[in-house]
Amino acid sequence: MTTERVNPPGLAPPAGFSHAVVASGSRVVFLAGQTALDGDGKVAGATLTEQFERALVNLLAALTAAGGTPSDLARVTVYATDVAEYRAHAPELGRLWRRLAGRHYPAMAVVEVVRLWDEEALVELDGFAVLP
């Protein structure tokens, strides 16, 4: 699989995402929404940062089980119950992303939602990857 990150000079410089990702490969993996559920199906973590870390670990675990790596991610959508809080913690969330997934940023969006499936959940991540 090859990916090309495209960040046109006419757009604002991206921070922690790519404006576009051109992916070519033979397998597309669609990743279901992942919250901060632990192995027992309970939401782990009381803060957005704690839950984001667990949700990302869960998303990457599903990707790994499907044979992919973080650099295969082409698109990730973040659903947050409070975008203002997400923005306030963006530097810390970025550090978590880089530690767990590296610096090969997918195309991303953050969307505010009224609530998630589990009432205690503050954030959910889904996406897709293109594998060789």
Side-chain angles (χ1 to χ4, degrees):
M1 196 260 325
T2 62
T3 56
E4 175 190 1
R5 271 62 175 161
V6 180
N7 294 299
L11 297 178
F17 70 96
S18 294
H19 284 292
V21 176
V22 179
S24 58
S26 61
R27 293 178 60 210
V28 177
V29 178
F30 295 91
L31 298 162
Q34 297 294 324
T35 60
L37 293 182
D38 63 17
D40 294 324
K42 306 276 192 234
V43 173
T47 68
L48 175 78
T49 302
E50 292 168 337
Q51 288 194 20
F52 179 88
E53 181 174 13
R54 182 58 187 245
L56 181 55
V57 165
N58 291 347
L59 187 80
L60 295 176
L63 176 59
T64 299
T69 67
S71 65
D72 297 324
L73 287 168
R75 171 85 175 150
V76 170
T77 302
V78 178
Y79 303 93
T81 58
D82 186 340
V83 169
E85 182 180 6
Y86 187 93
R87 286 179 63 98
H89 293 282
E92 186 176 0
L93 299 175
R95 285 189 293 276
L96 284 170
W97 182 278
R98 288 186 295 278
R99 179 170 54 83
L100 296 169
R103 292 182 176 270
H104 298 283
Y105 300 114
M108 294 183 76
V110 177
V111 179
E112 185 169 276
V113 296
V114 174
R115 66 161 282 200
L116 297 164
W117 183 263
D118 294 297
E119 289 186 34
E120 303 85 13
L122 303 173
V123 65
E124 182 172 332
L125 290 84
D126 74 8
F128 67 88
V130 180
L131 282 60

